[in-house]
Amino acid sequence: MLLHMAEIDGPVTSESLAGMMQTNPVVIRRILAGLRKQGLVHSEKGHGGGWRLAKDLETVTLYDIHIALGSPGVLALGHRTEAPGCLVEQAVNNAMGEAFDAAEALLLSRFREITLASLSRDFHQRMQHCGNPGH
Amino acid sequence: MLLHMAEIDGPVTSESLAGMMQTNPVVIRRILAGLRKQGLVHSEKGHGGGWRLAKDLETVTLYDIHIALGSPGVLALGHRTEAPGCLVEQAVNNAMGEAFDAAEALLLSRFREITLASLSRDFHQRMQHCGNPGH
DNA sequence: TTTCATGTAACTTAAAATATTACATGAAAG
DNA sequence: CTTTCATGTAATATTTTAAGTTACATGAAA
Ligand code: FES
Ligand code: FES
């Protein structure tokens, strides 16, 4: 969404973003509300209002966005019970927990390396080779 | 489930396993059916029937179980669209895909190191310090 | 004062995961 | 050889979760 916003100068309304993402404007607002709290975007009400990027693409990483989205769980597998009484479950949770933490740490460290600017460059390169005027 | 089975000698019925796992016997059968296909467990019908471990705990890793369960997706985040027309989405999927693959590879390599035997040892150690006769 | 856009709460719908029922198959017990 | 018990599996139902929608309040520009 941010990368699409970057291609447009001037503010973008939730409605037009919803069109791009094929969803509802309210969903867009809910998501962008989180990003605004982290200072990634800025919003204005009323005539000529809408959403605007608040930071340089070079300074924003996927990790920043992940945090802004509320640090959702990264792994589909996980502890069923938070504090299980079953001792087998305790042993399994303990062993798998270490593996999960390692995998999550690796993923997030990769996210820190990926800036929106680099993604934007990749996008523009794809545009060259695409030629589709729809984009 | 397998570790609980390891503590019982003789076959265990789906019903008693369902009691331990607090779920329905059919759910147990469905899961164990996958494990049987990989040769991890063995089942017998009729009187005195039930489920039995088919391998030594030392030779079974969490990775084996993961495969037997059908290699379910490990990451909660993921590609929304398989082959997106949107060039931004292509760029993002490409970059995140590499990070996902690295994280998943790390997790599965950790799973390969964790044998049921090591989990069982951890479990028995917890038993020592627990003293709860319910276990 | 009208129009347009965000800000949110409450509600609805849709999708996915999980659980249940029902019945067939096969093996041991009586 | 009939009853009992347990798995095997399809079909169905329920629960849970995520996603989308409606409704209305707030604030800014025309
Ligand atoms: S629609 Fe996303 S790049 Fe063309
Ligand atoms: S219930 Fe005691 S170890 Fe699982």
Side-chain angles (χ1 to χ4, degrees), chain B residues 18-126:
Chain B
M20 299 179 198
M21 318 305 289
Q22 312 204 80
T23 181
N24 191 289
V26 177
V27 174
I28 301 290
R29 292 190 202 124
R30 276 204 288 249
I31 294 171
L32 288 183
L35 300 198
R36 184 187 41 214
K37 218 174 293 177
Q38 299 292 318
L40 299 183
V41 297
H42 175 252
S43 69
E44 279 169 291
K45 288 179 174 178
H47 253 106
W51 300 89
R52 203 189 287 272
L53 290 178
K55 289 204 174 183
D56 190 285
L57 294 186
E58 209 73 58
T59 71
V60 181
T61 69
L62 290 186
Y63 179 76
D64 298 322
I65 297 172
H66 180 258
I67 298 296
L69 292 176
S71 310
V74 152
L75 294 157
L77 283 40
H79 305 325
R80 288 265 153 121
T81 314
E82 203 48 56
C86 171
L87 298 177
V88 167
E89 197 171 348
Q90 284 180 23
V92 174
N93 279 356
N94 178 63
M96 299 216 329
E98 287 174 25
F100 286 157
D101 291 348
E104 180 165 336
L106 175 59
L107 184 65
L108 294 184
S109 82
R110 292 294 188 99
F111 276 9
R112 267 190 250 257
E113 307 289 311
I114 304 174
T115 65
L116 288 185
S118 71
L119 293 174
S120 181
R121 279 190 290 274
D122 186 5
F123 159 65
H124 279 110
Q125 210 161 348
R126 287 169 195 269

Side-chain angles (χ1 to χ4, degrees), chain A residues 86-88, chain B residues 4 123 134-135:
Chain A
C86 170
L87 297 178
V88 167
Chain B
H4 273 107
F123 159 65
H135 291 275

